[in-house]
Amino acid sequence: MKKALPVGVENFEDMVKSGYYYVDKTMFIKELLDMKGKVNLFTRPRRFGKTLNLSMLRYFFEDTGNVEKNGQNKELFRGMKIMDAGDAYTGQMGMYPIINLTLKSAKQKDFETAYYMIQAELSSEFERHREIVEWGKERLAAKEYEQYVSIAEEKADQRLVRGSLKLFSQCMKRITGKNTVILLDEYDVPLENAYFKGVYDEMVDFIRSLFESALKTNDYLQFAVITGCLRITKESIFTGLNHLRIVSILDQRYDEHFGFTEPEVLRMMEYYNVESRFPTVKEWYDGYMFGSTEVYNPWSVINYIYDLYADINAFPRPYWINTSSNDIIKDLIARADRETKGQIEELLNGGTLDIQVHEEVTYGDMYSSGENLWNFLYFTGYLTKKNEYFKESAIFLRARIPNIEVKTIYQTTILNLFRDKIKKEDFRDLYRAIEGGNTEKMRDILNSQLFPTISFYDSAENFYRGFMTGILSQSEDYLVKSNRESGNGRSDIMVKSPSLRGKAFVLEVKVSDSIDNLDDDAEKALRQIQKKKDMEELRTEGYQKIGCYGISFFRKDCEVRFEASWH
């Protein structure tokens, strides 16, 4: 029996004990020890293995205070790469108290709820070590013990919670004689959420004080590993941390430890006997460059292989789109001026965009310039680098959309926002033009709608068909049906009056390869309707007033041809 695929599994112990397929990333431990960073911030896009890697560090380094449990943790690493790295590394196993805190649960509707979730996470970690504290409480000052218990039981005030990580380290040092390893996962989630909820300054102040006590003035810290999507320093989250080491997706170090490399993807696919679908996996989920390493989206690869194992002909899907609200893409498109719309269209059609790198992008600065926004999209995984270059004392990226999956996120968002926009518009003039066969009026109205719309041409027929269907569906007097999924050879769109005494229309959409071919292609689209015999079907239904429209598109221009059959 094959090992189960770890869809959504982020706990290292569960991963190993339950027999899931694990892509061995334990050499991350070796590199971390070799680099000897005191405070290490790793910035990677969401769902690229940050949480699982921190969980792995916890089980490797943690001294649980229980010899048997320490032995069980060591057993988890049997047969893994780190065990062959030498005593200098394996000798570090089970050596330190660890507090492993995730801030992803702080994505809440307001500051109070987000703060409560962080407090609850802290309480859980303090409670997890409660046995050690009770055993060694004689070594603590009465006040230290009292404060520890109040945090564990969620009774501490905010002042005490702000200093909780330092208090934990101090208590562990008193009891065990060892410094603490601090693991902080998704540190910027509460900041991102607070920005969109309008409570940014309040959250920045809290996170800053939590980190300062833990990382800046903590004499009981062995080392810290922090993960997130962005490097946020302008708000002084990491003020005065001279020992902070930041490792972004631009860095050559640690480049293979987050996400899957191509050999890792191939081995996984061969294990599940689905390697014949590798070209599809590469096209949809590859394309990222971390440092100089080609990286696949691990979340999407695992999900697609899961589907392929059940059905080798399974279609690829944009799995990553469902792991977040994608608010940043919605905001980008909603706010885009003419220049930005042109840049998005260039990217969607396989082009690149040159941007100067600003690693300290903040949520507050996101919209202050187009360059900041593109940087934000790059560091969060919506863009990747084709290459980089140095110019005028600055680093520049030639950025592109990584793969089909991410392109689908842009395209879906564009179409959804377009549908929302047209619901608010009045298209009665267009409907009257359609009813009257006024092709010039139709063309002018459609062109005026295309001009401000972000278009994508790699799947142009789908775009223009969706464009037309969305507009026509606003009519209260007609029923609209798009036939793109039917596969029955019918024309693209049918528009029918509910009454058989009313009019019905057949529309065929074509995409021209140049503006010079618009007229000919509109005429070809009209003749294609007749070949498909859609009019006969409408007559069989009982319609007597039938009109046919051939519509051709080239980028922001269109041409319309009409032929009526009024009986």
Side-chain angles (χ1 to χ4, degrees):
M1 183 178 293
K2 300 286 186 184
K3 292 182 177 181
L5 278 154
V7 177
V9 180
E10 296 181 319
N11 180 278
F12 182 76
E13 181 180 43
D14 184 25
M15 178 78 74
V16 177
K17 283 190 172 182
S18 299
Y20 289 104
Y21 187 101
Y22 175 61
V23 176
D24 190 340
K25 296 292 184 180
T26 57
M27 293 305 279
F28 176 40
I29 298 166
K30 178 181 183 299
E31 192 161 356
L32 191 65
L33 291 171
D34 285 343
M35 293 297 180
K36 301 186 188 309
K38 191 72 171 180
V39 180
N40 309 272
L41 170 61
F42 293 91
T43 60
R44 294 292 187 276
R46 55 187 166 84
R47 295 292 185 179
F48 269 76
K50 298 188 295 292
T51 301
L52 180 58
N53 273 350
L54 285 199
S55 179
M56 175 188 69
L57 295 182
R58 172 196 152 189
Y59 284 101
F60 185 87
F61 286 109
E62 185 166 46
D63 178 3
T64 65
N66 182 305
V67 173
E68 182 180 352
K69 179 63 177 173
N70 282 352
Q72 292 171 358
N73 283 355
K74 289 182 180 181
E75 190 64 25
L76 296 176
F77 291 86
R78 179 184 292 273
M80 294 190 183
K81 294 176 183 176
I82 190 63
M83 301 307 289
D84 296 325
D87 293 342
Y89 306 101
T90 56
Q92 295 290 309
M93 296 181 74
M95 288 294 293
Y96 307 104
I98 293 213
I99 186 162
N100 185 18
L101 186 70
T102 179
L103 302 187
K104 65 176 66 175
S105 61
K107 190 172 186 176
Q108 302 296 329
K109 61 181 180 179
D110 52 45
F111 174 78
E112 288 72 23
T113 310
Y115 168 78
Y116 171 76
M117 296 305 295
I118 296 173
Q119 183 185 35
E121 288 285 344
L122 283 162
S123 169
S124 177
E125 277 296 277
F126 272 58
E127 193 61 43
R128 190 167 71 85
H129 295 81
R130 186 74 172 268
E131 187 176 334
I132 295 174
V133 171
E134 294 297 338
W135 172 80
K137 64 181 180 182
E138 293 82 5
R139 301 180 186 182
L140 301 178
K143 187 176 181 180
E144 289 173 330
Y145 176 74
E146 178 185 321
Q147 290 176 337
Y148 189 101
V149 171
S150 69
I151 294 171
E153 296 178 354
E154 295 186 39
K155 296 177 181 178
D157 60 24
Q158 191 176 130
R159 178 192 57 80
L160 186 54
V161 170
R162 288 170 182 253
S164 56
L165 295 177
K166 182 175 182 180
L167 174 68
F168 178 91
S169 307
Q170 184 173 313
C171 290
M172 290 298 119
K173 181 70 171 183
R174 298 252 198 275
I175 295 170
T176 68
K178 298 177 179 178
N179 286 342
T180 291
V181 171
I182 296 177
L183 306 176
L184 294 170
D185 190 28
E186 304 285 11
Y187 87 97
D188 56 344
V189 165
L191 298 170
E192 177 188 12
N193 184 67
Y195 176 78
F196 286 109
K197 298 300 182 184
V199 292
Y200 191 58
D201 291 342
E202 201 170 0
M203 183 58 75
V204 165
D205 180 64
F206 172 68
I207 296 294
R208 180 194 300 125
S209 60
L210 183 71
F211 282 18
E212 278 185 349
S213 66
L215 307 174
K216 182 180 177 182
T217 59
N218 189 354
D219 294 331
Y220 314 107
L221 175 68
Q222 183 67 23
F223 66 85
V225 178
I226 309 164
T227 70
C229 288
L230 293 179
R231 166 188 176 179
I232 300 175
T233 58
K234 281 189 178 178
E235 291 93 342
S236 302
I237 296 292
F238 302 112
T239 296
L241 281 182
N242 298 324
H243 50 4
L244 175 66
R245 181 168 289 166
I246 300 169
V247 185
S248 76
I249 56 178
L250 286 169
D251 209 299
Q252 300 292 331
R253 296 164 299 177
Y254 303 96
D255 53 5
E256 76 276 19
H257 300 312
F258 296 86
F260 292 162
T261 63
E262 189 161 290
E264 290 169 341
V265 171
L266 280 167
R267 280 196 295 271
M268 185 185 298
M269 296 190 76
E270 288 167 0
Y271 177 81
Y272 291 101
N273 302 314
V274 296
E275 64 272 21
S276 63
R277 299 303 306 276
F278 174 72
T280 303
V281 171
K282 185 174 182 65
E283 190 177 32
W284 271 74
Y285 310 118
D286 185 19
Y288 298 92
M289 287 293 291
F290 293 172
S292 57
T293 298
E294 178 184 357
V295 178
Y296 288 66
N297 183 323
W299 172 259
S300 299
V301 168
I302 289 171
N303 275 276
Y304 188 42
I305 293 177
Y306 180 87
D307 287 347
L308 287 175
Y309 192 52
D311 175 12
I312 191 64
N313 297 311
F315 295 120
R317 290 188 287 157
Y319 302 97
W320 200 55
I321 196 172
N322 297 318
T323 64
S324 177
S325 63
N326 297 297
D327 284 338
I328 179 60
I329 296 297
K330 293 176 187 175
D331 260 26
L332 166 70
I333 294 164
R335 293 169 179 252
D337 57 19
R338 186 181 300 180
E339 181 184 6
T340 304
K341 287 175 181 177
Q343 290 169 325
I344 296 171
E345 287 180 347
E346 179 67 20
L347 289 167
L348 284 169
N349 291 298
T352 60
L353 177 66
D354 284 25
I355 56 175
Q356 184 178 342
V357 175
H358 299 291
E359 290 198 67
E360 297 180 10
V361 180
T362 70
Y363 294 99
D365 292 338
M366 194 191 315
Y367 299 110
S368 62
S369 73
E371 205 155 67
N372 279 353
L373 188 54
W374 295 121
N375 270 269
F376 189 97
L377 290 167
Y378 169 66
F379 286 108
T380 52
Y382 292 98
L383 294 173
T384 192
K385 71 174 182 181
K386 183 176 182 180
N387 58 279
E388 58 187 287
Y389 58 93
F390 195 72
K391 177 183 175 183
E392 297 174 355
S393 302
I395 299 173
F396 285 80
L397 295 175
R398 187 153 289 136
R400 59 178 175 79
I401 294 175
N403 49 44
I404 292 178
E405 177 180 44
V406 178
K407 184 181 291 186
T408 301
I409 295 174
Y410 283 91
Q411 292 176 339
T412 301
T413 306
I414 289 167
L415 288 175
N416 287 340
L417 287 174
F418 173 71
R419 292 187 187 107
D420 291 341
K421 172 179 172 287
I422 62 176
K423 286 178 183 176
K424 303 170 185 175
E425 298 204 20
D426 186 346
F427 288 105
R428 281 177 291 187
D429 286 349
L430 176 66
Y431 304 144
R432 281 193 286 268
I434 293 173
E435 290 170 345
N438 188 340
T439 56
E440 288 187 11
K441 186 70 172 177
M442 277 184 67
R443 180 194 63 204
D444 291 345
I445 294 173
L446 292 175
N447 282 343
S448 71
Q449 288 296 317
L450 281 169
F451 184 70
T453 302
I454 299 172
S455 310
F456 43 89
Y457 310 116
D458 65 321
S459 53
E461 284 202 20
N462 284 343
F463 170 75
Y464 291 118
R465 191 184 295 113
F467 169 80
M468 288 299 304
T469 304
I471 289 177
L472 294 170
S473 296
Q474 299 307 303
S475 172
E476 297 178 355
D477 299 324
Y478 289 93
L479 303 173
V480 179
K481 181 181 179 183
S482 172
N483 290 311
R484 64 175 177 169
E485 293 92 1
S486 64
N488 56 12
R490 292 178 178 173
S491 295
D492 290 325
I493 303 169
M494 283 190 178
V495 181
K496 301 187 289 186
S497 167
S499 169
L500 294 175
R501 294 190 180 94
K503 294 179 178 179
F505 301 93
V506 182
L507 290 83
E508 182 74 22
V509 173
K510 278 198 172 295
V511 179
S512 298
D513 55 14
S514 77
I515 196 165
D516 295 332
N517 295 331
L518 275 175
D519 289 345
D520 288 345
D521 288 338
E523 192 66 36
K524 287 177 184 176
L526 190 60
R527 300 298 158 228
Q528 193 168 325
I529 295 173
Q530 297 169 339
K531 291 180 181 178
K532 292 180 178 178
K533 300 181 180 180
D534 290 286
M535 289 184 294
E536 283 80 352
E537 180 182 329
L538 290 171
R539 289 194 185 101
T540 301
E541 289 183 40
Y543 288 99
Q544 294 182 336
K545 299 176 181 178
I546 303 170
C548 302
Y549 280 100
I551 308 176
S552 58
F553 291 93
F554 178 75
R555 298 190 179 272
K556 303 291 187 182
D557 290 285
C558 75
E559 193 55 66
V560 184
R561 292 289 181 271
F562 174 68
E563 191 171 276
S565 178
W566 307 138
H567 294 287

